[in-house]
Amino acid sequence: MEKAAPAPGNEGAADLLATATNGIIIADINGIIVQANQAAEGIFQYASGSLGGRPITDLMPNSERRRHPGYVTNYREHGARFMVGATREVEGLDRHGNSLPLLISVSLFKENGEPRFAAILHDLSERKRLERMLAAVNSELEKRVSERTAQLEEEAKRHRETINRLELVNKVVERASHAVAITDADNRILYVNPAYETLTGFKQDKVIGRKPTVAKSGHHGPDFYRRMWDALDRDQHWEGEIWDRRANGEAFPKFLSIDRLADDEGNTRNYVAVFHDLTEQKASEEEIERLQYYDSLTTLPNRSLFRHRLQHEFEVSRRQGARVGVMLLNLDRFKQINDTFGFPAGDKLLVEVAERLGTAVRRTDMIARQESRRERDPDLVSRVGGDDFAVILNDLKAPENAAVVAKRMLEAMNTPFNMEDESGQIDEVFLQASIGIAIFPDNAADVDELVRVAETALIQAKELGRGEFRFFSDNMNKNSAARVRLESDLRRAVAEEGFVLHYQPKLDLETGRFSSMEALIRWPHADGMVSPADFIPLAEETTLIVPLGAWILRRACLDAVALGERLGQVPGVAINLSARQFRQSGLIDSVRTALEESAILPEKVELEITESMVMDDVEAAIDTMQALRALGVRLAIDDFGTGYSSLSYLKRFPVNTLKIDRTFIRDLTRDSEDAAIIQAVIALARALNLHVVAEGVETQGQLVFLGEHRCASVQGFLLARPGPIESMPALFSKGFT
């Protein structure tokens, strides 16, 4: 096939066509080859120009050759959807009848009104040979162009041919299912085809002028990219598998081929990158195993491999009479890191945490696996969740030895982490972790039970203070049975609404009368009244707090309206929200339902939340509070002063009331610091136009102090103890003397 020379000024485009590493074959509707480039002829070992006019079936094995007429029939009857648009691996035949593994992408276009099929072929077995062949073809083509530049008559003709070919290439590239990106010598993007936009989600106008690192996933280290650029500088070509990110942040694997185009002096003019998505084409056993058993971010064993290894250690330990420890580690407030620095920075932090944890465990190697092992396995660190890690400690001589490893792991967190935000600023971040420890056979007899009790120990570690570790103790084992029974009773009580509400009135110090009340949950049980301190945490942990909280909302609103009918005026009612209830998506609907069912005025309802409930995700908490305020209800910050008490947050929270915690009230007549804090809180609230309630008033001295310093409302045992709704009319009628 005679090769046309480009006209002056189009050398770059011709170079791009000539240096393409993929074969291109164009056939008509009857399967007769119209054009084939040098790469295609090289793949099938046909002489230059000898493919033209041949049936495409000459390049197919017998099995595929017999089916091809059916494909053509399908196209004529059903259109291109049966033949065009897929990228797949097929088998071809070269001129000598040798089998060729190929990656083929078929596109459809029209030329002079006639349908044409364009096939892009990539030889998967002889890629290096194809490189050398294409380089030789390119050299020969450049030589012919140089020799014929003096032939003016031929130049005009070849100019037209070149334009036609470039238009053809443009159509092929534009409609190809492979993504194509072209950059300048500084690696800034000049062009991407539609397939690039489809595969990555990045629109052309958003990436032109930027570097391809806009889609960098963070899965590869500096050495990976250094080897890539070394190959491009040395060989003018690199190809391989790489992980990138789509515009939505999703990481995905792709097969990438990059060519460096240089001028005669060797200076880089452009880079041409062609890639396709490997997400659905991963088929090797090694890749399947890696994805199945290892965390792609940290390369640590994942949950599946962790459980497999733990079961194995159980079997070995039973034979040897040894102990196995499980440590569950959770990073404290890791969500704030993601919110502040972004998910890519958070991923890098998880990688560094994994590296630090790896240095904290024991690394003894095992010579051989036998029935009686002479040396122990290395301890296994796994990533079992977003910011959750697990460690298997095998061959423990004593349970206390696990504490040594736990201390080392917590100490590994003491050194600050360097975090880079999206603007490139480096900040030092201190990170803490909580660890729960369980020991086999001391705490459990099987894998599931050991993991469960380790999770219980982790919860205790978080409750007792962050940056701590806790063992699952014998006392906790004994209490587990009682907890199971209590949980069963709690579920039954929630289903049967087996709770009652007691109310504690609040005194308005300006009028001297009770004007509102706080709803307090009570659980009558066969063994007596169960303390809220015992069942509220259990309800939180089991998520029963959500239906229980909805019941409290409805019951409190109905009781307030009923009390208002007795008094002639509906009193205000304050209802505590739990942390889980505040974060659950159905909260707004629950409040709206309670308001509509009871017909209470929304401003009569005050929902109490604590500072700690809103600090994990401040922006989301503000959105929730604003949605509640939109319903017309009031909001109060409960236990103010015991949490963060950040003024920068307080001024942003759409709240109406501050409740001073009882710990400051208890000693205010004897402790000048408590007295000063209360005065400051009252002054702050008045400046922000907030209502102030002091809880836990038990002495006349406390009441006098609060009145003198213009606290708005008080509640406590001195005024009235909590009681059922039936006792409220008498209290509200007579007031307080």
Side-chain angles (χ1 to χ4, degrees):
M1 180 182 289
E2 185 67 12
K3 299 300 176 183
N10 286 283
E11 291 86 357
D15 288 350
L16 175 59
L17 175 62
T19 55
T21 58
N22 293 322
I24 300 175
I25 294 178
I26 299 173
D28 63 15
I29 187 63
N30 297 311
I32 301 303
I33 298 174
V34 177
Q35 281 186 286
N37 70 346
Q38 290 284 353
E41 293 166 348
I43 289 175
F44 294 99
Q45 299 189 30
Y46 280 84
S48 177
S50 62
L51 278 177
R54 289 179 177 271
I56 194 72
T57 52
D58 284 0
L59 308 181
M60 300 178 184
N62 290 334
S63 58
E64 191 70 16
R65 189 177 301 170
R66 289 193 296 268
R67 288 194 289 267
H68 189 263
Y71 296 156
V72 175
T73 301
N74 277 338
Y75 168 73
R76 295 181 181 275
E77 295 178 356
H78 303 290
R81 62 193 181 93
F82 286 89
M83 303 180 65
V84 179
T87 297
R88 58 196 179 110
E89 290 188 16
V90 300
E91 183 181 350
L93 290 180
D94 67 11
R95 185 169 62 88
H96 304 292
N98 298 318
S99 177
L100 290 172
L102 303 170
L103 189 68
I104 182 170
S105 172
V106 181
S107 301
L108 176 66
F109 68 97
K110 288 188 176 181
E111 184 178 35
N112 298 324
E114 293 295 326
R116 294 287 187 263
F117 294 103
I120 299 179
L121 304 166
H122 185 72
D123 186 346
L124 299 178
S125 62
E126 300 186 19
R127 186 179 293 118
K128 295 301 182 180
R129 187 176 65 83
L130 180 59
E131 274 182 58
R132 293 190 294 271
M133 181 181 295
L134 290 176
V137 170
N138 180 61
S139 177
E140 179 63 23
L141 182 59
E142 289 181 348
K143 179 181 177 181
R144 292 184 181 182
V145 169
S146 176
E147 291 173 350
R148 294 183 173 126
T149 53
Q151 302 174 16
L152 296 180
E153 290 183 2
E154 288 296 322
E155 181 181 71
K157 176 182 176 181
R158 297 184 190 284
H159 177 66
R160 289 192 297 272
E161 292 177 353
T162 300
I163 291 176
N164 291 336
R165 290 190 180 187
L166 288 175
E167 290 177 350
L168 178 62
V169 170
N170 181 64
K171 291 179 181 178
V172 172
V173 172
E174 285 287 303
R175 300 183 184 187
S177 58
H178 281 56
V180 178
I182 302 174
T183 70
D184 62 14
D186 295 326
N187 202 31
R188 295 193 178 277
I189 296 174
L190 300 174
Y191 166 83
V192 296
N193 70 342
Y196 178 96
E197 296 181 322
T198 301
L199 291 179
T200 68
F202 288 102
K203 298 301 180 183
Q204 186 179 64
D205 59 349
K206 300 297 184 182
V207 297
I208 296 300
R210 302 181 67 180
K211 293 191 175 184
T213 53
V214 66
K216 191 175 181 179
S217 68
H219 281 239
H220 307 286
D223 289 343
F224 177 89
Y225 294 102
R226 183 165 53 251
R227 289 192 297 269
M228 173 193 293
W229 287 106
D230 286 346
L232 284 170
D233 290 340
R234 181 182 64 252
D235 306 324
Q236 298 189 20
H237 179 79
W238 180 90
E239 61 182 33
E241 293 182 9
I242 186 172
W243 283 80
D244 269 358
R245 284 190 185 273
R246 306 189 202 276
N248 63 4
E250 174 193 358
F252 75 103
K254 67 183 186 183
F255 187 88
L256 173 64
S257 174
I258 306 176
D259 286 283
R260 181 172 70 90
L261 305 184
D263 59 21
D264 293 338
E265 287 73 33
N267 300 315
T268 301
R269 288 205 316 261
N270 300 95
Y271 294 97
V272 180
V274 180
F275 64 86
H276 61 275
D277 193 345
L278 291 179
T279 302
E280 297 180 0
Q281 299 181 30
K282 288 288 187 181
S284 69
E285 292 184 3
E286 178 181 356
E287 185 64 15
I288 291 175
E289 180 180 0
R290 187 185 70 80
L291 294 175
Q292 184 175 359
Y293 293 115
Y294 291 89
D295 175 50
S296 61
L297 177 64
T298 64
T299 70
L300 291 176
N302 62 13
R303 185 187 298 272
S304 297
L305 185 54
F306 163 77
R307 293 184 65 84
H308 178 79
R309 171 69 181 273
L310 184 57
Q311 183 64 54
H312 172 77
E313 291 300 333
F314 264 49
E315 295 169 0
V316 173
S317 297
R318 286 192 181 101
R319 292 196 300 267
Q320 302 298 324
R323 286 184 170 92
V324 176
V326 166
M327 303 172 59
L328 300 183
L329 180 146
N330 176 262
L331 302 179
D332 298 329
R333 303 194 184 284
F334 179 73
K335 186 178 185 300
Q336 291 183 349
I337 299 294
N338 278 336
D339 291 344
T340 302
F341 296 94
F343 287 101
D347 287 349
K348 291 181 180 179
L349 178 62
L350 288 174
V351 172
E352 186 171 350
V353 168
E355 293 173 352
R356 292 192 188 186
L357 296 181
T359 64
V361 300
R362 302 169 299 180
R363 287 294 178 185
T364 304
D365 292 326
M366 183 186 69
I367 294 177
R369 171 77 65 195
Q370 297 178 354
E371 185 66 21
S372 177
R373 62 182 181 184
R374 294 178 295 172
E375 293 191 31
R376 53 179 302 281
D377 287 335
D379 295 330
L380 181 77
V381 180
S382 303
R383 183 181 179 221
V384 295
D387 59 342
D388 296 315
F389 296 83
V391 180
I392 299 175
L393 304 173
N394 59 67
D395 198 23
L396 283 174
K397 302 303 180 184
E400 300 77 39
N401 293 352
V404 177
V405 181
K407 289 177 181 177
R408 285 204 302 263
M409 297 177 79
L410 293 179
E411 289 170 356
M413 299 292 105
N414 290 339
T415 303
F417 294 83
N418 292 324
M419 299 293 295
E420 181 177 357
D421 62 20
E422 296 178 352
S423 66
Q425 180 177 342
I426 305 295
D427 290 317
E428 284 191 346
V429 172
F430 289 86
L431 196 63
Q432 287 184 312
S434 299
I435 300 175
I437 308 171
I439 307 297
F440 167 84
D442 303 65
N443 301 138
D446 59 49
V447 169
D448 290 334
E449 181 67 10
L450 190 66
V451 173
R452 189 187 68 78
V453 298
E455 289 173 346
T456 302
L458 174 60
I459 292 172
Q460 267 214 339
K462 283 187 169 293
E463 291 175 347
L464 296 178
R466 300 180 187 275
E468 298 285 342
F469 69 88
R470 289 291 183 272
F471 282 86
F472 182 83
S473 66
D474 290 337
N475 288 334
M476 291 173 65
N477 270 327
K478 294 175 182 177
N479 291 336
S480 291
R483 180 192 179 281
V484 171
R485 289 193 298 271
L486 184 63
E487 180 180 339
S488 178
D489 292 345
L490 181 61
R491 291 185 181 277
R492 187 180 303 108
V494 170
E496 299 174 355
E497 297 185 355
F499 300 88
V500 296
L501 292 183
H502 283 192
Y503 296 91
Q504 186 172 36
K506 298 179 184 178
L507 183 69
D508 187 325
L509 289 182
E510 184 175 348
T511 64
R513 302 191 65 84
F514 293 115
S515 59
S516 61
M517 57 188 181
E518 179 179 1
L520 303 170
I521 184 72
R522 296 291 185 264
W523 182 14
H525 194 266
D527 299 330
M529 198 72 77
V530 182
S531 169
D534 293 331
F535 73 85
I536 291 296
L538 181 58
E540 282 269 8
E541 181 182 343
T542 58
T543 72
L544 290 171
I545 196 66
V546 175
L548 179 58
W551 177 84
I552 294 172
L553 278 168
R554 295 195 308 272
R555 186 71 266 161
C557 291
L558 290 169
D559 284 351
V561 172
L563 179 59
E565 293 176 354
R566 296 278 302 274
L567 300 176
Q569 182 179 359
V570 177
V573 60
I575 304 164
N576 290 282
L577 296 181
S578 72
R580 186 180 293 274
Q581 186 183 10
F582 181 75
R583 290 193 294 266
Q584 61 100 10
S585 59
L587 173 63
I588 307 302
D589 289 337
S590 294
V591 175
R592 183 183 295 110
T593 298
L595 296 176
E596 293 174 351
E597 185 178 334
S598 63
I600 191 173
L601 292 174
E603 60 265 25
K604 291 293 184 180
V605 178
E606 185 169 73
L607 303 179
E608 297 185 359
I609 58 179
T610 62
E611 296 169 88
S612 58
M613 286 164 51
V614 301
M615 295 309 295
D616 282 341
D617 191 339
V618 173
E619 299 305 324
I622 291 176
D623 290 342
T624 300
M625 287 188 281
Q626 289 174 339
L628 290 170
R629 287 298 306 276
L631 296 177
V633 300
R634 296 170 59 84
L635 296 179
I637 296 291
D638 197 10
D639 301 335
F640 185 77
T642 62
Y644 295 88
S645 302
S646 170
L647 298 184
S648 63
Y649 288 126
L650 182 60
K651 69 180 182 180
R652 297 180 60 199
F653 293 158
V655 298
N656 308 94
T657 302
L658 295 184
K659 290 192 69 175
I660 303 175
D661 187 69
R662 65 182 67 249
T663 56
F664 297 106
I665 305 298
R666 184 175 55 238
D667 298 323
L668 71 85
T669 57
R670 299 188 302 273
D671 190 322
S672 60
E673 292 183 355
D674 283 349
I677 290 173
I678 291 173
Q679 292 181 58
V681 171
I682 293 173
L684 171 65
R686 293 179 67 86
L688 296 176
N689 198 28
L690 299 177
H691 190 79
V692 182
V693 178
E695 56 183 356
V697 176
E698 298 181 357
T699 69
Q700 189 68 29
Q702 295 168 349
L703 181 62
V704 170
F705 179 93
L706 294 168
E708 291 176 346
H709 290 87
R710 302 176 66 188
C711 182
S713 299
V714 294
Q715 67 182 110
F717 289 170
L718 175 68
L719 313 170
R721 289 179 175 272
I725 192 64
E726 293 79 12
S727 65
M728 292 299 105
L731 287 172
F732 275 83
S733 297
K734 72 178 182 179
F736 175 76
T737 304

